[in-house]
Amino acid sequence: MAVGLGSFPAIPNISGVRFAVVEAGIKKASRKDLVVFEIDKGASVAGVFTQNAFCAAPVRLCREHLLQSVPRYLVINTGNANAGTGKRGYQGALSTCESLASIVGCKVSEVLPFSTGVIGEPLPTDKIVDVLPNALASLDYGNWQDAGEGIMTTDTRPKGAYRQFEVNGKHYTVGGISKGAGMIRPNMATMLGYVFTDISIDQNVLQDLLKKTTDKSFNRITIDSDTSTNDSCIAVATGAAGNEKITNIQTELGLAFEQAFTEVMQELAHAIVRDGEGATKFVTVQVVGAKSQEDAALVGFEIAHSPLVKTALFASDPNWGRILAVVGRAPIADLDVDRVNISLNGCLIVSEGGRSDGYTEELGQAAMNPEEITIVIDLGVGECKDTVWTTDLSHEYVTINAEYRT
Amino acid sequence: MAVGLGSFPAIPNISGVRFAVVEAGIKKASRKDLVVFEIDKGASVAGVFTQNAFCAAPVRLCREHLLQSVPRYLVINTGNANAGTGKRGYQGALSTCESLASIVGCKVSEVLPFSTGVIGEPLPTDKIVDVLPNALASLDYGNWQDAGEGIMTTDTRPKGAYRQFEVNGKHYTVGGISKGAGMIRPNMATMLGYVFTDISIDQNVLQDLLKKTTDKSFNRITIDSDTSTNDSCIAVATGAAGNEKITNIQTELGLAFEQAFTEVMQELAHAIVRDGEGATKFVTVQVVGAKSQEDAALVGFEIAHSPLVKTALFASDPNWGRILAVVGRAPIADLDVDRVNISLNGCLIVSEGGRSDGYTEELGQAAMNPEEITIVIDLGVGECKDTVWTTDLSHEYVTINAEYRT
């Protein structure tokens, strides 16, 4: 199941970024399960990673390598998360980097490894190392859909997005891919997102922008409240567009880039929600009238994590009592229940803490029928707001997770 | 579905407590859906209630009445929660109390009202008031199973427990009933628990004991993380046993009572978990080696709320990677992943943060097959511990909650 996903977008070549997608046979045979990106020298690369204390071996290595070098290669396998694998897992990720570096003649720290799939199984490092020469020989400007497919796990579709914009006669492209359908409640990044651009931008400015934008995209989606061990999001700016390097985002070019970058990040994050495990609804939870943005986010996530709200969404049931019960237990101070208003797709159901006078079951049912649902909760006590995106909880989610080993 | 529930226990009469169970036709016809308890004068009565800010009208009224009087009557309806019903809901609960008080000639504040069922629908007060004379005329020492059945909603079985003990040749009884199967993550009490005893105990001592014991029983269970709007737990001590009134729990009789009372409270709480919506497993999550009891409880609840852990439990899948991922994202300070040990029903699966050397898939599978699963998580950084009880997440849970209006 997936909600409102169209076809994969026609992401254009991004100058300075080549890739290869090959079969390593990590979990399944005849599946392209390894993606290698090659980035031209002179690029800026920023990364954000999971805050899960049990982060995967490749996440630890990424953090170390980013402190030492600007990456030239990203190597991503699906089928095995290389998480909960201890020292052997770390050695496996390191061996992958060493092998790649020796073939192309770069530093080991110029390679970033990424893994996604089952947690706790030993990484079949040999299978990856064996196909690296073939992968490196076939690096090219290719079809981004292949790269999107090469990093999928329980995803039913590849996920990509791009924007192009023009400032002072120069043309720029921002494009990327993401994956994820379960164990999704990113904390500082999602598993996995890769965004590329040909713009020239300072490394620190890119890192700041990535952090800020992640909080408006991947860090505001949740499918099942479970933060992955492998979440990673990487932004690569090759500089091939030849603009004067952006050193301050508060310029015409900087702001145009921020807008395009934010839109690509949000589209990639939404694509994960739309392909959420078992999803039949794409749900936007807007909390407004809060005393702080933190309060708004807390209430939004409580709604998005409630099994009772999510099963009601699955049933297209305007069961507003469950939403109200969640707001009532949300861990925020100063909740005034008599000021709370709640609407579903524009239909006011709760007014001043009780059922709205004009509300009828027919209106509520009509509001709940579409695939896309927007829940607006007005706390009525302040001016702050935040938005969280999520899915419903369906039989298919249980089936997938009772059968699949994350 | 229900896990390991036996037949309803043979709870004896508790001197000073009579009850009636009648049909009011609140939601369904031909269903005994109203229970009235009559308590002799001179009893001590203690109560704890939901911390949900959107607490139901009867909960507000209970709190007010308990400040004014020692209750003589408890009136409990199922089929309608009288929550999210605003001023009209409050008036409905009050009318119920007024009607009962006028029939028996007691103060309105000596009546406590309780409701459970659908949230947000107007309470059919007339239906309740109409059957009160009949109910009051039939008050008697009756079959406790009838009372247990009279307060059920999505419960598949009535829930009861009792203990009897002897101190210095005197015999005492503690017995009670509870209900609940979904929207269960009690916060200060569950929806609903009633415990009765013939012991004589000071009101304040009973209230303190109820609070303390709730934190070891109802406040340590969770089915779906959703705290109800109607949670209430009431303890009634009639004093009919004729002992010298307990004014200090640290006496031989006080401690014997505390033990019996705690066991009854835990058995009633466990009965709710065993009858959790769609439950196929009864899961005990013990967190030990924590720096504080709060940390232990936080980790325990994170495990118990994780949809990925719960679906793995449903599949009897020893998917320890998911448990480890949850520990890694738990909001506690000072987590040292290299000290974490995890076992499933005595089978050590994670040792020092990684897969245990002696672990095999066969051992894990054998450990996960029983209906009753104990997960022990040793954080390895302190001496504190706590225990949480929960269920798995099954297709049946989704079916029940996609079809039922809470």
Side-chain angles (χ1 to χ4, degrees), chain B residues 185-188 213-222 266 269-270 273 283 285 293-294 296-298 300-301 304 385-390:
Chain B
R185 192 268 159 97
N187 184 4
M188 296 317 291
T213 312
T214 301
D215 277 339
K216 295 178 181 176
S217 56
F218 293 116
N219 280 0
R220 287 297 179 276
I221 66 171
T222 182
Q266 287 187 337
H270 292 182
V273 176
V283 185
V285 185
Q293 192 192 347
E294 291 68 32
L298 275 170
F301 275 116
K385 62 184 178 178
D386 209 339
T387 300
V388 172
W389 295 277
T390 191

PDB file of all heavy atoms in Angstrom, chain B residues 185-188 213-222 266 269-270 273 283 285 293-294 296-298 300-301 304 385-390:
ATOM      1  N   ARG B 185      -3.184   2.829  29.262  1.00  0.00           N
ATOM      2  CA  ARG B 185      -1.876   3.165  29.785  1.00  0.00           C
ATOM      3  C   ARG B 185      -2.192   4.067  30.964  1.00  0.00           C
ATOM      4  O   ARG B 185      -2.089   5.280  30.896  1.00  0.00           O
ATOM      5  CB  ARG B 185      -1.014   3.893  28.769  1.00  0.00           C
ATOM      6  CG  ARG B 185       0.482   4.009  29.204  1.00  0.00           C
ATOM      7  CD  ARG B 185       0.734   5.293  29.948  1.00  0.00           C
ATOM      8  NE  ARG B 185       1.903   5.295  30.778  1.00  0.00           N
ATOM      9  CZ  ARG B 185       3.079   5.789  30.431  1.00  0.00           C
ATOM     10  NH1 ARG B 185       3.265   6.289  29.266  1.00  0.00           N
ATOM     11  NH2 ARG B 185       4.076   5.769  31.273  1.00  0.00           N
ATOM     12  N   PRO B 186      -2.646   3.426  32.034  1.00  0.00           N
ATOM     13  CA  PRO B 186      -3.156   4.187  33.171  1.00  0.00           C
ATOM     14  C   PRO B 186      -2.113   5.167  33.702  1.00  0.00           C
ATOM     15  O   PRO B 186      -0.925   4.901  33.670  1.00  0.00           O
ATOM     16  CB  PRO B 186      -3.473   3.107  34.200  1.00  0.00           C
ATOM     17  CG  PRO B 186      -3.698   1.876  33.397  1.00  0.00           C
ATOM     18  CD  PRO B 186      -2.729   1.985  32.262  1.00  0.00           C
ATOM     19  N   ASN B 187      -2.592   6.290  34.154  1.00  0.00           N
ATOM     20  CA  ASN B 187      -1.739   7.273  34.790  1.00  0.00           C
ATOM     21  C   ASN B 187      -2.418   7.694  36.082  1.00  0.00           C
ATOM     22  O   ASN B 187      -3.239   8.580  36.110  1.00  0.00           O
ATOM     23  CB  ASN B 187      -1.527   8.458  33.859  1.00  0.00           C
ATOM     24  CG  ASN B 187      -0.559   9.467  34.452  1.00  0.00           C
ATOM     25  OD1 ASN B 187       0.000   9.252  35.521  1.00  0.00           O
ATOM     26  ND2 ASN B 187      -0.368  10.575  33.766  1.00  0.00           N
ATOM     27  N   MET B 188      -2.069   7.051  37.139  1.00  0.00           N
ATOM     28  CA  MET B 188      -2.561   7.203  38.521  1.00  0.00           C
ATOM     29  C   MET B 188      -3.715   6.258  38.832  1.00  0.00           C
ATOM     30  O   MET B 188      -4.129   6.191  39.982  1.00  0.00           O
ATOM     31  CB  MET B 188      -2.996   8.624  38.863  1.00  0.00           C
ATOM     32  CG  MET B 188      -1.863   9.626  38.815  1.00  0.00           C
ATOM     33  SD  MET B 188      -0.335   8.979  39.588  1.00  0.00           S
ATOM     34  CE  MET B 188      -0.795   8.930  41.304  1.00  0.00           C
ATOM     35  N   THR B 213       0.215   1.537  45.993  1.00  0.00           N
ATOM     36  CA  THR B 213      -0.036   0.254  45.357  1.00  0.00           C
ATOM     37  C   THR B 213      -0.398   0.416  43.878  1.00  0.00           C
ATOM     38  O   THR B 213      -0.053  -0.427  43.051  1.00  0.00           O
ATOM     39  CB  THR B 213      -1.171  -0.466  46.106  1.00  0.00           C
ATOM     40  OG1 THR B 213      -0.899  -0.405  47.485  1.00  0.00           O
ATOM     41  CG2 THR B 213      -1.257  -1.909  45.685  1.00  0.00           C
ATOM     42  N   THR B 214      -1.079   1.505  43.546  1.00  0.00           N
ATOM     43  CA  THR B 214      -1.411   1.778  42.140  1.00  0.00           C
ATOM     44  C   THR B 214      -0.129   1.876  41.311  1.00  0.00           C
ATOM     45  O   THR B 214      -0.075   1.394  40.172  1.00  0.00           O
ATOM     46  CB  THR B 214      -2.222   3.082  42.032  1.00  0.00           C
ATOM     47  OG1 THR B 214      -3.407   2.944  42.802  1.00  0.00           O
ATOM     48  CG2 THR B 214      -2.606   3.366  40.588  1.00  0.00           C
ATOM     49  N   ASP B 215       0.915   2.479  41.887  1.00  0.00           N
ATOM     50  CA  ASP B 215       2.188   2.610  41.166  1.00  0.00           C
ATOM     51  C   ASP B 215       2.899   1.274  40.969  1.00  0.00           C
ATOM     52  O   ASP B 215       3.863   1.196  40.209  1.00  0.00           O
ATOM     53  CB  ASP B 215       3.113   3.588  41.900  1.00  0.00           C
ATOM     54  CG  ASP B 215       2.793   5.027  41.545  1.00  0.00           C
ATOM     55  OD1 ASP B 215       2.174   5.248  40.478  1.00  0.00           O
ATOM     56  OD2 ASP B 215       3.155   5.920  42.318  1.00  0.00           O
ATOM     57  N   LYS B 216       2.471   0.255  41.670  1.00  0.00           N
ATOM     58  CA  LYS B 216       3.065  -1.070  41.474  1.00  0.00           C
ATOM     59  C   LYS B 216       2.147  -1.993  40.679  1.00  0.00           C
ATOM     60  O   LYS B 216       2.447  -3.175  40.519  1.00  0.00           O
ATOM     61  CB  LYS B 216       3.325  -1.743  42.838  1.00  0.00           C
ATOM     62  CG  LYS B 216       4.351  -1.066  43.691  1.00  0.00           C
ATOM     63  CD  LYS B 216       4.444  -1.831  45.007  1.00  0.00           C
ATOM     64  CE  LYS B 216       5.436  -1.195  45.951  1.00  0.00           C
ATOM     65  NZ  LYS B 216       5.430  -1.904  47.261  1.00  0.00           N
ATOM     66  N   SER B 217       1.007  -1.479  40.259  1.00  0.00           N
ATOM     67  CA  SER B 217       0.044  -2.361  39.590  1.00  0.00           C
ATOM     68  C   SER B 217      -0.540  -1.665  38.364  1.00  0.00           C
ATOM     69  O   SER B 217       0.054  -1.712  37.288  1.00  0.00           O
ATOM     70  CB  SER B 217      -1.058  -2.781  40.573  1.00  0.00           C
ATOM     71  OG  SER B 217      -1.690  -1.642  41.141  1.00  0.00           O
ATOM     72  N   PHE B 218      -1.632  -0.936  38.531  1.00  0.00           N
ATOM     73  CA  PHE B 218      -2.295  -0.328  37.364  1.00  0.00           C
ATOM     74  C   PHE B 218      -1.402   0.679  36.648  1.00  0.00           C
ATOM     75  O   PHE B 218      -1.442   0.790  35.430  1.00  0.00           O
ATOM     76  CB  PHE B 218      -3.607   0.334  37.788  1.00  0.00           C
ATOM     77  CG  PHE B 218      -4.636  -0.653  38.247  1.00  0.00           C
ATOM     78  CD1 PHE B 218      -5.090  -0.654  39.552  1.00  0.00           C
ATOM     79  CD2 PHE B 218      -5.142  -1.605  37.375  1.00  0.00           C
ATOM     80  CE1 PHE B 218      -6.044  -1.573  39.984  1.00  0.00           C
ATOM     81  CE2 PHE B 218      -6.093  -2.532  37.795  1.00  0.00           C
ATOM     82  CZ  PHE B 218      -6.531  -2.510  39.104  1.00  0.00           C
ATOM     83  N   ASN B 219      -0.587   1.411  37.391  1.00  0.00           N
ATOM     84  CA  ASN B 219       0.277   2.401  36.745  1.00  0.00           C
ATOM     85  C   ASN B 219       1.523   1.781  36.109  1.00  0.00           C
ATOM     86  O   ASN B 219       2.386   2.516  35.623  1.00  0.00           O
ATOM     87  CB  ASN B 219       0.702   3.485  37.731  1.00  0.00           C
ATOM     88  CG  ASN B 219      -0.369   4.524  37.925  1.00  0.00           C
ATOM     89  OD1 ASN B 219      -1.426   4.442  37.322  1.00  0.00           O
ATOM     90  ND2 ASN B 219      -0.095   5.515  38.767  1.00  0.00           N
ATOM     91  N   ARG B 220       1.629   0.480  36.099  1.00  0.00           N
ATOM     92  CA  ARG B 220       2.741  -0.180  35.443  1.00  0.00           C
ATOM     93  C   ARG B 220       2.253  -1.123  34.336  1.00  0.00           C
ATOM     94  O   ARG B 220       2.995  -1.992  33.890  1.00  0.00           O
ATOM     95  CB  ARG B 220       3.608  -0.947  36.449  1.00  0.00           C
ATOM     96  CG  ARG B 220       4.463  -0.036  37.328  1.00  0.00           C
ATOM     97  CD  ARG B 220       5.470   0.768  36.520  1.00  0.00           C
ATOM     98  NE  ARG B 220       6.266   1.656  37.364  1.00  0.00           N
ATOM     99  CZ  ARG B 220       5.883   2.872  37.751  1.00  0.00           C
ATOM    100  NH1 ARG B 220       4.699   3.352  37.390  1.00  0.00           N
ATOM    101  NH2 ARG B 220       6.669   3.617  38.495  1.00  0.00           N
ATOM    102  N   ILE B 221       1.014  -0.933  33.898  1.00  0.00           N
ATOM    103  CA  ILE B 221       0.561  -1.716  32.750  1.00  0.00           C
ATOM    104  C   ILE B 221       0.293  -0.775  31.586  1.00  0.00           C
ATOM    105  O   ILE B 221      -0.019   0.405  31.768  1.00  0.00           O
ATOM    106  CB  ILE B 221      -0.708  -2.552  33.047  1.00  0.00           C
ATOM    107  CG1 ILE B 221      -1.927  -1.659  33.313  1.00  0.00           C
ATOM    108  CG2 ILE B 221      -0.474  -3.497  34.213  1.00  0.00           C
ATOM    109  CD1 ILE B 221      -3.250  -2.421  33.401  1.00  0.00           C
ATOM    110  N   THR B 222       0.463  -1.284  30.376  1.00  0.00           N
ATOM    111  CA  THR B 222       0.131  -0.508  29.188  1.00  0.00           C
ATOM    112  C   THR B 222      -0.261  -1.490  28.102  1.00  0.00           C
ATOM    113  O   THR B 222       0.362  -2.547  27.952  1.00  0.00           O
ATOM    114  CB  THR B 222       1.301   0.375  28.734  1.00  0.00           C
ATOM    115  OG1 THR B 222       0.889   1.141  27.592  1.00  0.00           O
ATOM    116  CG2 THR B 222       2.536  -0.439  28.357  1.00  0.00           C
ATOM    117  N   GLN B 266      -2.441  -6.120  41.872  1.00  0.00           N
ATOM    118  CA  GLN B 266      -1.619  -6.599  40.756  1.00  0.00           C
ATOM    119  C   GLN B 266      -2.370  -7.634  39.930  1.00  0.00           C
ATOM    120  O   GLN B 266      -2.298  -7.637  38.704  1.00  0.00           O
ATOM    121  CB  GLN B 266      -0.291  -7.174  41.267  1.00  0.00           C
ATOM    122  CG  GLN B 266       0.667  -6.076  41.742  1.00  0.00           C
ATOM    123  CD  GLN B 266       2.047  -6.593  42.090  1.00  0.00           C
ATOM    124  OE1 GLN B 266       2.220  -7.772  42.395  1.00  0.00           O
ATOM    125  NE2 GLN B 266       3.041  -5.702  42.058  1.00  0.00           N
ATOM    126  N   ALA B 269      -4.744  -5.818  37.768  1.00  0.00           N
ATOM    127  CA  ALA B 269      -4.038  -5.109  36.689  1.00  0.00           C
ATOM    128  C   ALA B 269      -3.576  -6.105  35.625  1.00  0.00           C
ATOM    129  O   ALA B 269      -3.729  -5.876  34.423  1.00  0.00           O
ATOM    130  CB  ALA B 269      -2.853  -4.335  37.262  1.00  0.00           C
ATOM    131  N   HIS B 270      -3.008  -7.211  36.075  1.00  0.00           N
ATOM    132  CA  HIS B 270      -2.541  -8.226  35.116  1.00  0.00           C
ATOM    133  C   HIS B 270      -3.706  -8.791  34.304  1.00  0.00           C
ATOM    134  O   HIS B 270      -3.556  -9.117  33.134  1.00  0.00           O
ATOM    135  CB  HIS B 270      -1.822  -9.357  35.847  1.00  0.00           C
ATOM    136  CG  HIS B 270      -0.523  -8.927  36.451  1.00  0.00           C
ATOM    137  ND1 HIS B 270       0.306  -9.786  37.107  1.00  0.00           N
ATOM    138  CD2 HIS B 270       0.096  -7.724  36.483  1.00  0.00           C
ATOM    139  CE1 HIS B 270       1.373  -9.129  37.533  1.00  0.00           C
ATOM    140  NE2 HIS B 270       1.273  -7.879  37.167  1.00  0.00           N
ATOM    141  N   VAL B 273      -4.232  -6.711  31.319  1.00  0.00           N
ATOM    142  CA  VAL B 273      -3.234  -6.976  30.272  1.00  0.00           C
ATOM    143  C   VAL B 273      -3.538  -8.298  29.562  1.00  0.00           C
ATOM    144  O   VAL B 273      -3.512  -8.381  28.331  1.00  0.00           O
ATOM    145  CB  VAL B 273      -1.816  -7.003  30.866  1.00  0.00           C
ATOM    146  CG1 VAL B 273      -0.799  -7.370  29.791  1.00  0.00           C
ATOM    147  CG2 VAL B 273      -1.469  -5.651  31.478  1.00  0.00           C
ATOM    148  N   VAL B 283       3.268 -10.073  28.547  1.00  0.00           N
ATOM    149  CA  VAL B 283       4.689  -9.730  28.509  1.00  0.00           C
ATOM    150  C   VAL B 283       5.093  -8.947  29.756  1.00  0.00           C
ATOM    151  O   VAL B 283       4.486  -7.921  30.076  1.00  0.00           O
ATOM    152  CB  VAL B 283       5.008  -8.886  27.251  1.00  0.00           C
ATOM    153  CG1 VAL B 283       6.497  -8.625  27.150  1.00  0.00           C
ATOM    154  CG2 VAL B 283       4.471  -9.572  25.995  1.00  0.00           C
ATOM    155  N   VAL B 285       8.123  -6.820  31.310  1.00  0.00           N
ATOM    156  CA  VAL B 285       9.381  -6.150  30.962  1.00  0.00           C
ATOM    157  C   VAL B 285      10.046  -5.705  32.263  1.00  0.00           C
ATOM    158  O   VAL B 285       9.554  -4.801  32.939  1.00  0.00           O
ATOM    159  CB  VAL B 285       9.153  -4.926  30.050  1.00  0.00           C
ATOM    160  CG1 VAL B 285      10.489  -4.334  29.620  1.00  0.00           C
ATOM    161  CG2 VAL B 285       8.311  -5.291  28.836  1.00  0.00           C
ATOM    162  N   GLN B 293      14.955   4.523  39.510  1.00  0.00           N
ATOM    163  CA  GLN B 293      13.732   3.798  39.185  1.00  0.00           C
ATOM    164  C   GLN B 293      13.018   4.462  38.021  1.00  0.00           C
ATOM    165  O   GLN B 293      12.407   3.795  37.183  1.00  0.00           O
ATOM    166  CB  GLN B 293      12.817   3.755  40.412  1.00  0.00           C
ATOM    167  CG  GLN B 293      11.658   2.773  40.230  1.00  0.00           C
ATOM    168  CD  GLN B 293      10.595   2.915  41.293  1.00  0.00           C
ATOM    169  OE1 GLN B 293      10.809   3.574  42.310  1.00  0.00           O
ATOM    170  NE2 GLN B 293       9.444   2.317  41.059  1.00  0.00           N
ATOM    171  N   GLU B 294      13.116   5.789  37.915  1.00  0.00           N
ATOM    172  CA  GLU B 294      12.484   6.518  36.813  1.00  0.00           C
ATOM    173  C   GLU B 294      13.065   6.067  35.475  1.00  0.00           C
ATOM    174  O   GLU B 294      12.336   5.848  34.511  1.00  0.00           O
ATOM    175  CB  GLU B 294      12.682   8.031  36.978  1.00  0.00           C
ATOM    176  CG  GLU B 294      11.912   8.659  38.133  1.00  0.00           C
ATOM    177  CD  GLU B 294      12.427   8.223  39.501  1.00  0.00           C
ATOM    178  OE1 GLU B 294      13.645   7.963  39.646  1.00  0.00           O
ATOM    179  OE2 GLU B 294      11.604   8.093  40.420  1.00  0.00           O
ATOM    180  N   ALA B 296      14.462   3.211  34.824  1.00  0.00           N
ATOM    181  CA  ALA B 296      14.010   1.836  34.579  1.00  0.00           C
ATOM    182  C   ALA B 296      12.584   1.837  34.030  1.00  0.00           C
ATOM    183  O   ALA B 296      12.279   1.127  33.058  1.00  0.00           O
ATOM    184  CB  ALA B 296      14.100   1.018  35.867  1.00  0.00           C
ATOM    185  N   ALA B 297      11.719   2.655  34.626  1.00  0.00           N
ATOM    186  CA  ALA B 297      10.331   2.713  34.152  1.00  0.00           C
ATOM    187  C   ALA B 297      10.257   3.283  32.738  1.00  0.00           C
ATOM    188  O   ALA B 297       9.499   2.792  31.893  1.00  0.00           O
ATOM    189  CB  ALA B 297       9.485   3.558  35.115  1.00  0.00           C
ATOM    190  N   LEU B 298      11.066   4.310  32.445  1.00  0.00           N
ATOM    191  CA  LEU B 298      11.071   4.913  31.103  1.00  0.00           C
ATOM    192  C   LEU B 298      11.448   3.884  30.043  1.00  0.00           C
ATOM    193  O   LEU B 298      10.791   3.767  29.009  1.00  0.00           O
ATOM    194  CB  LEU B 298      12.064   6.086  31.047  1.00  0.00           C
ATOM    195  CG  LEU B 298      11.551   7.440  31.516  1.00  0.00           C
ATOM    196  CD1 LEU B 298      12.702   8.432  31.633  1.00  0.00           C
ATOM    197  CD2 LEU B 298      10.513   7.973  30.539  1.00  0.00           C
ATOM    198  N   GLY B 300      11.310   0.628  30.333  1.00  0.00           N
ATOM    199  CA  GLY B 300      10.268  -0.395  30.298  1.00  0.00           C
ATOM    200  C   GLY B 300       9.073   0.032  29.456  1.00  0.00           C
ATOM    201  O   GLY B 300       8.570  -0.733  28.624  1.00  0.00           O
ATOM    202  N   PHE B 301       8.624   1.272  29.640  1.00  0.00           N
ATOM    203  CA  PHE B 301       7.470   1.758  28.869  1.00  0.00           C
ATOM    204  C   PHE B 301       7.821   1.942  27.390  1.00  0.00           C
ATOM    205  O   PHE B 301       6.984   1.705  26.522  1.00  0.00           O
ATOM    206  CB  PHE B 301       6.915   3.065  29.459  1.00  0.00           C
ATOM    207  CG  PHE B 301       5.936   2.848  30.577  1.00  0.00           C
ATOM    208  CD1 PHE B 301       6.206   3.287  31.859  1.00  0.00           C
ATOM    209  CD2 PHE B 301       4.735   2.188  30.337  1.00  0.00           C
ATOM    210  CE1 PHE B 301       5.299   3.075  32.898  1.00  0.00           C
ATOM    211  CE2 PHE B 301       3.818   1.976  31.363  1.00  0.00           C
ATOM    212  CZ  PHE B 301       4.107   2.416  32.641  1.00  0.00           C
ATOM    213  N   ALA B 304       7.535  -1.390  25.941  1.00  0.00           N
ATOM    214  CA  ALA B 304       6.144  -1.842  25.940  1.00  0.00           C
ATOM    215  C   ALA B 304       5.287  -1.082  24.928  1.00  0.00           C
ATOM    216  O   ALA B 304       4.207  -1.541  24.565  1.00  0.00           O
ATOM    217  CB  ALA B 304       5.546  -1.693  27.343  1.00  0.00           C
ATOM    218  N   LYS B 385      15.533  -0.613  39.671  1.00  0.00           N
ATOM    219  CA  LYS B 385      14.772  -1.445  38.740  1.00  0.00           C
ATOM    220  C   LYS B 385      13.298  -1.068  38.759  1.00  0.00           C
ATOM    221  O   LYS B 385      12.837  -0.385  39.670  1.00  0.00           O
ATOM    222  CB  LYS B 385      14.949  -2.917  39.104  1.00  0.00           C
ATOM    223  CG  LYS B 385      14.439  -3.263  40.489  1.00  0.00           C
ATOM    224  CD  LYS B 385      14.727  -4.712  40.826  1.00  0.00           C
ATOM    225  CE  LYS B 385      14.246  -5.005  42.249  1.00  0.00           C
ATOM    226  NZ  LYS B 385      14.465  -6.407  42.624  1.00  0.00           N
ATOM    227  N   ASP B 386      12.584  -1.542  37.740  1.00  0.00           N
ATOM    228  CA  ASP B 386      11.132  -1.395  37.714  1.00  0.00           C
ATOM    229  C   ASP B 386      10.579  -2.423  36.722  1.00  0.00           C
ATOM    230  O   ASP B 386      11.334  -2.989  35.919  1.00  0.00           O
ATOM    231  CB  ASP B 386      10.712   0.023  37.314  1.00  0.00           C
ATOM    232  CG  ASP B 386       9.354   0.416  37.928  1.00  0.00           C
ATOM    233  OD1 ASP B 386       8.581  -0.490  38.296  1.00  0.00           O
ATOM    234  OD2 ASP B 386       9.093   1.612  38.038  1.00  0.00           O
ATOM    235  N   THR B 387       9.291  -2.660  36.805  1.00  0.00           N
ATOM    236  CA  THR B 387       8.655  -3.669  35.958  1.00  0.00           C
ATOM    237  C   THR B 387       7.408  -3.094  35.312  1.00  0.00           C
ATOM    238  O   THR B 387       6.632  -2.391  35.961  1.00  0.00           O
ATOM    239  CB  THR B 387       8.274  -4.920  36.785  1.00  0.00           C
ATOM    240  OG1 THR B 387       9.460  -5.463  37.368  1.00  0.00           O
ATOM    241  CG2 THR B 387       7.620  -5.980  35.911  1.00  0.00           C
ATOM    242  N   VAL B 388       7.230  -3.389  34.035  1.00  0.00           N
ATOM    243  CA  VAL B 388       6.055  -2.962  33.280  1.00  0.00           C
ATOM    244  C   VAL B 388       5.454  -4.203  32.625  1.00  0.00           C
ATOM    245  O   VAL B 388       6.201  -5.081  32.181  1.00  0.00           O
ATOM    246  CB  VAL B 388       6.462  -1.932  32.199  1.00  0.00           C
ATOM    247  CG1 VAL B 388       5.308  -1.626  31.269  1.00  0.00           C
ATOM    248  CG2 VAL B 388       6.992  -0.659  32.849  1.00  0.00           C
ATOM    249  N   TRP B 389       4.125  -4.265  32.571  1.00  0.00           N
ATOM    250  CA  TRP B 389       3.459  -5.397  31.931  1.00  0.00           C
ATOM    251  C   TRP B 389       2.708  -4.933  30.696  1.00  0.00           C
ATOM    252  O   TRP B 389       2.050  -3.889  30.719  1.00  0.00           O
ATOM    253  CB  TRP B 389       2.489  -6.053  32.911  1.00  0.00           C
ATOM    254  CG  TRP B 389       3.156  -6.675  34.095  1.00  0.00           C
ATOM    255  CD1 TRP B 389       3.732  -7.919  34.153  1.00  0.00           C
ATOM    256  CD2 TRP B 389       3.326  -6.097  35.392  1.00  0.00           C
ATOM    257  NE1 TRP B 389       4.246  -8.137  35.412  1.00  0.00           N
ATOM    258  CE2 TRP B 389       4.015  -7.042  36.197  1.00  0.00           C
ATOM    259  CE3 TRP B 389       2.976  -4.867  35.974  1.00  0.00           C
ATOM    260  CZ2 TRP B 389       4.357  -6.807  37.530  1.00  0.00           C
ATOM    261  CZ3 TRP B 389       3.317  -4.625  37.298  1.00  0.00           C
ATOM    262  CH2 TRP B 389       3.996  -5.586  38.060  1.00  0.00           C
ATOM    263  N   THR B 390       2.758  -5.723  29.635  1.00  0.00           N
ATOM    264  CA  THR B 390       2.081  -5.318  28.418  1.00  0.00           C
ATOM    265  C   THR B 390       1.715  -6.536  27.563  1.00  0.00           C
ATOM    266  O   THR B 390       1.882  -7.684  27.984  1.00  0.00           O
ATOM    267  CB  THR B 390       2.950  -4.325  27.608  1.00  0.00           C
ATOM    268  OG1 THR B 390       2.162  -3.755  26.562  1.00  0.00           O
ATOM    269  CG2 THR B 390       4.157  -5.022  26.990  1.00  0.00           C
TER     270      THR B 390
END
